[in-house]
Each structure stands twice: as structure tokens, then as C-alpha cells.
Amino acid sequence: MRFPSSLSRLLPWLPTCLALLLSVVPQAGPRAQGQAMPFARTGHVSVELSADVEAAVPGEPFRLGLRQTIDEGWHTYWRNPGDSGAATRLEWHLPPGVTAGPVLWPLPEAIPYFDLMNYGYEGEAFLMTELAMPADWPAGKPVEIGVTVDWLVCSDVCIPESVDLAIALPSTAGPVRIHPMNGLAFEQAQERLPRRLKLDASHADEGDTITLAVDGLPAQGRIDDAYFFAGEAGIIRHSAPQTFTFEDGRLVLTLERDADATDTIGSVEGLLVLHEDPGDGPIEQGLLITAGPGTLASRTATAASGDLPLWQAALFAFLGGLILNLMPCVFPVLSMKALALVRHAGEPGALRQGLAYAAGVMLSFLSLATILIAMKAGGAAVGWGFQLQSPLVVALLAYLMVTVGLWLAGALELGGSLGGRLQGGLMNAGSGLAGREGHAGSFFTGVLAVIVATPCTAPFMAPALGFALTRDAATALAVFAALGAGFALPFLLLGAVPALSRLLPRPGAWMVRLKEFMAFPMFATAAWLVWVLALQLGAAALLPVLLGMVVLGLGLWLLRFTRVLPRALCALALAAALALAAWPVLHPAGRSAAAAGTGTGTQGLVDPDGPARPFDQAILDRLVADGRPVFVNMTAAWCITCLVNEETALSSKAVEEAIASRGITYMKGDWTNADPAITAFLEYFGRSGVPLYVLYPGKDRKPVLLPQILTESIVLDALSQTAG
């Protein structure tokens, strides 16, 4: 019992204080159970004990219900009575071997009293308890059960009341038969019980308020009202108003923090009552939830980037696009573009080539932004690199890398007008590319560069893209345009400023050899993409995809011929290659494999015998609530930046020893396939893609974001700051 500090609030507490004093007065010894009946009447409450079965069956559970019929103007209390009062207590007297479960509390009401708020029941309350029968109970032997019930009934005054009730049930060998008269009452009472569903729930402590967020609510219509009954006192101020927002199955409640709450609030447990109208009349449902301190509660705030002004987000995007040119996934394509610039350095058409390349880059980035915006508006959990979560896209991209590699190596000789157009469309690093074909080649080089850039995330990109994808469409497009401008700038400058061409090496025979050498990074990229596909769909997907590459090579070889039959066979071979690429995804076995890998957060990058454990939001919340240090690594098989960081920093012996010696829990989330939990975690920290590295130092300290490009020293310095 907590008492208000101000004297003006003392008056409402006097009835409760008197009731508590009366409740501790010594009473006579226990009443003989043989004198108890299954019903009784006290001053203001009638109580009745009943069973939902005709007879108890050995080894089978059954339920007992305690019905309280409360006088008008009076009320009893829920398990958390609120600002005053006391919960009803049941003390069972059971035969040997019979056990009783917890009280199943029906949905309570919020009952205001002056400036206090109580939780309880008016009119009637039906409290159920499940009892378990031992399997060796002799059939035919009666089951005699007694219960002592104590409650506080209040109006302007509070009165403690207590009764002893008893019930004797016959027993039978079976089957279980529902009581013909009591069954309906229990069925109706069951509808008033709250449910515990698998929901994502967390809370954020924000000074004087607590933000409670719940995702995945099973709402059938518009939610008109939501109210949270805290499971215990000392967390929220019960009498404070509660405000809520609801959108796309996500409810956010703003609660006032209790003045006596501890500095750090761990898990918040309680009952969420929703009132909604699905169209055929209002309904009420109660959901039991447990919300730990975690990411969901403040996800809309985009903690790391939500306060960025637009100019800063655009600047970050521009710098990120500039640095993206140096990332390993883009280097092979840009090397081929550099060869073209060397060939055409100083020529009048160099500027037009640079503009064509920039146009391909800008169009690709803006198209990607448009798709992302549309998918997020439709409720999809997507981010940077989302297209590589599609196995079909990964397979087709691998085919593209093989095609470009064959052409660079000189194994693919294209003839005729079709071959010339295709050659110009693939790249403009070869000989004889000029005029319209050269411009087309530059344009498609820009498109290809953006496609292969998506597995990489450069510094400055993450906060910029996280900002963009939480804002309106115009803002998002502006940020992506800045990203494209930074990405296209180096080659645009080389074409626009003739003086810079003197910095480039002179053309020569070395260009042919370098062009051929660039085929091998393309083949390596294709091999890596096939590995990603195996993680997404399993090893069974490899055979059709690899056979498709063989058929693709056959079709490209047939392009050398100009006659009608080889061209028809070429078209047939290319169609067969596409069909083989799509087969693992469209085939039922492939779809089931992909589904099995979705939503786990663990797919294929977590070694069960390694130091990392699969990412689990609920476990993370519990560890953080307990003050344990945690290091979270969000990665994906198609993220080259992630894989480089793994090899150069996170897998070092020194880092592994630091994690072990300081008692740090290492969690790894795999975003290779779509995973809404990981997407939510990324969005909370203002990120739209991987990699993301978050260190929870422990001891109530705020999480720390590590850079996207890691070194061993950066990681060790961060780990040294933990409370371990």
C-alpha cells in the first residue's frame, strides 16, 4: 500500500486504511470445512463455487469458478487493485494429489475514486481456477475441495469480507462430461479472459513518460479505445490519462511514469484492453503482454537519424555515394568504365559519355527509391539491398555477372547488328564504341554499377537512407538523388574537365589485358551470388541454377552465327536459362525452403558452435533489462561490407577473447532473407540496411553504434567500455 504525500489526498485513503487495520485483527481458528457450503452471502457480496464438469476424471483437468455478485455501488478488486484496495485472495484446501493453478482473472474495469484510479469489478466477477487430478485417483471416490476467500469490497467505505466455501465432486473413470447447467457460465467467463498471443512488445522510458509499443495486434476493424492495466504497482501512474495511436497493426501507448518508480524499469507486464468496431458491432478483447526495454517502443523516432535536417541527410548521402565508388562490390564495373575514359580522354565526346553514365546512375537510384517507397507504403518491411533478399534476383544477377565476364575475357564474340547493340548495351569499354552505341554503353554501365552497388553500404549512407525511408516521398527522392550524384561525380568530372584527363595513363595494349583480367572479379562475383542463393534456398537450388549458366553460355555462343536457325536456338537457350534460374524459386520445394529461411534471423551465417547466438528480440530485451552487455551484429550473406568486416575485425582472436572475458553476449542477425524483426531493429536505429553494429554496454547505459567499416582496434576500443 502506498500513501500519497500531500495532505489533500489523504481523505480518499481513510476507508482503505481502516479496512486494512480490520483485516489484520486476529480471527477465530479455521472453520470446519464440513460446515462450508458452495455458496454464501456477506454484507455486500454473494459468492458461489461451481465446477464446469459433472464429475472429476482421474488424470484430466477441470475448472472451478468463483462467482461474486456485488451490490450496486460497490466493487471488488483485480489482481493489481490500482491506487488503493486489495486483490481477492483464494486459499485452496485440496485432497492429496490434487493441485490448483493460478486464478484466471477476467477483464477488469477502471474505477475512478476522487483523484485515484482503482482496477476491479462492479456488478459481477467470475474468477476461474484450473485444477489437475492425479491419474491414480480411485474412480468413484468423491473429490472434496474447500477454499477460503478474502476480499475487500468498497464504495465510500471499504469492508474486508471472508468466507469458507466447499464443493464435493463425484469422480468417474470417464469420459469428461461438461456440466449441463454450469457449462454456459464457464463458456461466457472464458470469453472474458484475456489472451496471450505472440506479439512484439517493448517499452521506452522517456523521463516522465513510458512509451509502450505492441506490433502485430489482431485487430479486425478500427480500434476506438485502448487501455493498459499494469500488472503491478510502482510502474505507471494509474490515474493519469493514456493516449494511443494505432496504424498497420501497431499500437503505441503513452503512459505517465509513476513518481515512485525505480530509475530503471525492467519488463512491464500487464493487460491491454482494446475496444474496436469491425463493422458488425463493437467488441472488446484483452491481451496479456510483457514488454521489455527494447527497440519497438521508439521505432518511429529513428533514434540515430530522426533529428537530421534535410540538408545534412543529403550531404551524408552525397558523401556516401562518393565513397561507394571505392567499395569492393562496385570496383570491377567502375574499372571497366575507367578503361573507357582512358580511351576517350580528351575527346569531344568524353563529356557526353560522362553525362550518359550519370543519367544511368541517377535513373537507377531514383527507380530504386520509388520501389522502396511504394513497398514501404504498402506495409512491406524492406530496406537498402532488399532486392537481394529475392532468390530470383540473386540468380539473374549471377547470370549477368557471368555474361559480362565472358565478354570481358573475349570468350563472347558478338557479331552483326544485334551483337553490336548488345555489346554497346553491356559496357562501353570495348573497341569501336562511339556515337550512339558508346552513349548507350555508358548509360547501361551506370545502371549496372548501381545494381552491383546495392550489396555494399558506405560510410555516411546508413543515417542518410534511414532518414529518407522514414520521411515523405519527395524527401526520400531528394536524398536518393544526392546519393546518385555522389556516386556519378568522379566519372562525370573526368569527362567534363579535360585537364583531369592528363592524370590518366596513356591508352595502349595494357588496356586489353586489364579488360580481360577484369573478367575474373565478375566470375568471382557470380560464384559469391550462387553461394548466397544456396543459403537462401538450400543446396538443392544449385543444380538447376548452374545448369542454367551452362545453357546461358550456349545461347551466347550461338549469337556468333547470323543464320536464322542458330538465332532461334539462341533465343530458346536463353529462355531455358531463365526458366532454370526461376525453377528453385517457383517450385514448391524451393518456396518451402525459402519460407523456412525467412523470419528466423539466423538463416545460414550463424555457426551453432561459434561465439555468436542467433538474434532474438525478446532475449535481447531481457539481457538489456538485466544490465548484461550485448554486442549485436546485423549482417547478410549478400552484403560484401558485412563479410569483409567479419574477416578483418569480428573474427579475430583478440575480439573473440575480449567478448568472452568481459561476459558479453554476441548476437548475430542474418538479413539474407526478409526478417521483419531485424527490419524493425534496423529502423529503430535509423538504418535501412546492413551492416549495423550495436553495443549495449550494460549497467543502464545507452547503446553505442559502431561504424559500418570496422577494424579490430575499433571493436576492441568499444568492447573495453562495457560494464563487464
Side-chain angles (χ1 to χ4, degrees), residues 535 602-607 670 672:
L535 291 179
T602 64
Q603 281 94 26
L605 295 182
V606 181
D607 181 1
D670 186 356
T672 302

Side-chain angles (χ1 to χ4, degrees), residues 333-559:
V333 174
L334 297 190
S335 298
M336 291 181 290
K337 180 61 185 172
L339 289 175
L341 289 174
V342 169
R343 179 176 297 277
H344 297 286
E347 296 180 4
L351 176 58
R352 292 194 297 271
Q353 297 248 0
L355 290 172
Y357 171 81
V361 168
M362 296 298 293
L363 180 63
S364 300
F365 272 117
L366 292 177
S367 299
L368 185 62
T370 301
I371 295 171
L372 273 168
I373 293 167
M375 292 182 69
K376 289 187 74 68
V382 294
W384 177 252
F386 75 96
Q387 68 273 23
L388 292 172
Q389 293 176 337
S390 166
L392 181 58
V393 171
V394 172
L396 294 178
L397 191 56
Y399 282 15
L400 178 61
M401 295 298 105
V402 168
T403 303
V404 174
L406 289 172
W407 175 75
L408 288 172
L412 178 59
E413 297 179 6
L414 305 176
S417 60
L418 174 63
R421 287 194 297 272
L422 181 58
Q423 183 174 347
L426 285 172
M427 210 65 58
N428 77 348
S431 60
L433 288 173
R436 184 175 180 180
E437 288 186 358
H439 298 153
S442 294
F443 178 85
F444 284 107
T445 301
V447 173
L448 181 62
V450 173
I451 291 174
V452 300
T454 51
C456 284
T457 304
F460 299 105
M461 275 181 60
L465 296 184
F467 171 90
L469 295 179
T470 57
R471 296 302 189 271
D472 59 272
T475 302
L477 289 173
V479 174
F480 271 85
L483 178 65
F487 190 68
L489 181 63
F491 293 101
L492 186 59
L493 284 177
L494 286 173
V497 183
L500 293 176
S501 63
R502 290 193 292 270
L503 302 176
L504 301 175
R506 292 181 177 275
W510 65 270
M511 295 176 57
V512 177
R513 299 293 173 257
L514 181 59
K515 169 180 169 289
E516 293 172 350
F517 175 78
M518 285 284 95
F520 295 98
M522 288 297 176
F523 292 143
T525 303
W528 161 68
L529 289 168
V530 171
W531 172 72
V532 171
L533 191 68
L535 291 179
Q536 290 178 321
L537 294 182
L542 296 183
L543 180 60
V545 171
L546 293 176
L547 286 176
M549 286 186 177
V550 176
V551 177
L552 174 67
L554 174 62
L556 294 174
W557 177 75
L558 289 170
L559 275 177

Side-chain angles (χ1 to χ4, degrees), residues 158-228:
C158 289
I159 302 173
E161 297 182 344
S162 179
V163 297
D164 285 331
L165 303 176
I167 189 172
L169 284 177
S171 66
T172 179
V176 176
R177 292 192 299 272
I178 300 300
H179 197 285
M181 297 179 61
N182 299 340
L184 179 60
F186 278 86
E187 183 178 338
Q188 293 173 341
Q190 182 69 34
E191 294 177 355
R192 293 288 299 167
L193 291 180
R195 297 177 293 160
R196 184 175 291 278
L197 304 179
K198 188 176 182 181
L199 301 171
D200 290 326
S202 70
H203 72 82
D205 192 356
E206 302 171 352
D208 295 334
T209 63
I210 296 174
T211 302
L212 181 68
V214 185
D215 266 8
L217 289 172
Q220 303 174 29
R222 183 188 71 252
I223 291 183
D224 298 316
D225 192 19
Y227 194 90
F228 180 69

